[in-house]
Amino acid sequence: MPELVFFSGTMDCGKSTLALQIEHNRSARGLVGMIFTRDDRAGEGKLSSRLGLVTDAVEVEDGVDLYAYLVDQLSRGGRADYVIADEAQFLAPEQIDQLARVVDDLEIDVYAFGITTDFRSKLFPGSQRLVELADRVEVLQVEALCWCGARATHNARTVGGVMVMEGAQVVVGDVDHAADEIGYEVLCRRHHRRRMTAASARAAALSPDVLPVVPDRR
């Protein structure tokens, strides 16, 4: 039976790499896929991974009906044996409903990839709807690591290496960025709660220790 599958995880855990691998494996068997994405780091209409792999994709804009788009492509003689939706957290809840309809009415598998929560540990609306509707939710097993070496479970937004908790939910950035730019970092829950990034941890380590108390020997 066709399925709507949500592959979730933190940033830097290989979601886009897996999406590209699924595309490669199926296309190598003669299958044809439709790839949707939004706000990819490589630019408009691209699906890319941090390993340097990239392929063309359909950039999803606000208000686009994904079900209607696919039906239109099929009615024009196009083909779609499966659908890949990367950066699915940025899709609107109604667009997730449309992907579910693709599975149910067109009987086409849909593989959605995205992070579950934002930099404030709040669910993205698109991810929340995927959790509600998906036939399966797969947490990726390639673990991203916090600077401390523990498993990273949270995404943090940073400005100049300092973690911030306010701002728009969607601001495009990456884990690779200049020190003075808006960027993202994956953290374990403990250090996300303490707002301690790699930069702030290094700064703390470089701070002079409190001088030991020397007993008065007079």
Side-chain angles (χ1 to χ4, degrees):
M1 294 291 292
E3 289 185 308
L4 171 59
V5 186
F6 179 32
F7 295 93
S8 69
T10 62
M11 297 182 68
D12 213 19
C13 75
K15 297 180 300 301
S16 296
T17 301
L18 179 58
L20 287 161
Q21 184 68 55
I22 288 176
E23 160 65 12
H24 170 75
N25 290 350
R26 280 155 179 73
S27 62
R29 297 295 180 265
L31 300 177
V32 178
M34 176 69 68
I35 303 176
F36 294 116
T37 190
R38 178 158 187 172
D39 295 334
D40 188 273
R41 69 183 70 83
E44 184 174 336
K46 299 293 181 183
L47 165 55
S48 68
S49 79
R50 293 187 180 87
L51 298 182
L53 304 173
V54 62
T55 192
D56 292 329
V58 176
E59 185 76 15
V60 178
E61 304 291 345
D62 291 336
V64 172
D65 186 323
L66 301 181
Y67 176 83
Y69 182 92
L70 194 56
V71 168
D72 181 67
Q73 295 299 307
L74 295 174
S75 66
R76 294 171 182 266
R79 179 181 166 189
D81 300 306
Y82 59 93
V83 171
I84 290 174
D86 197 33
E87 306 294 355
Q89 72 273 7
F90 297 145
L91 300 180
E94 55 268 25
Q95 290 173 322
I96 303 301
D97 288 335
Q98 293 154 13
L99 291 177
R101 189 181 177 192
V102 167
V103 176
D104 296 338
D105 293 0
L106 302 181
E107 299 186 345
I108 296 174
D109 285 312
V110 174
Y111 306 102
F113 300 81
I115 58 179
T116 308
T117 58
D118 64 15
F119 68 103
R120 301 164 299 186
S121 298
K122 304 295 184 182
L123 285 168
F124 281 101
S127 298
Q128 178 179 334
R129 193 63 178 143
L130 274 165
V131 171
E132 293 166 348
L133 292 182
D135 297 293
R136 287 189 290 127
V137 177
E138 301 282 352
V139 178
L140 295 192
Q141 298 304 307
V142 178
E143 294 184 352
L145 299 179
C146 177
W147 60 264
C148 69
R151 177 173 175 264
T153 54
H154 290 62
N155 305 292
R157 180 181 294 170
T158 61
V159 178
V162 178
M163 181 174 162
V164 296
M165 293 294 289
E166 296 181 353
Q169 186 175 49
V170 179
V171 175
V172 179
D174 202 353
V175 293
D176 299 315
H177 58 89
D180 58 346
E181 295 177 349
I182 293 176
Y184 289 92
E185 183 175 341
V186 289
L187 299 172
C188 64
R189 185 183 64 240
R190 175 185 299 156
H191 289 124
H192 190 276
R193 287 180 53 248
R194 295 176 180 176
R195 304 188 186 184
M196 183 173 287
T197 65
S200 60
R202 284 194 299 269
L206 293 172
S207 298
D209 294 330
V210 176
L211 293 176
V213 175
V214 180
D216 189 350
R217 296 180 178 177
R218 290 178 297 175

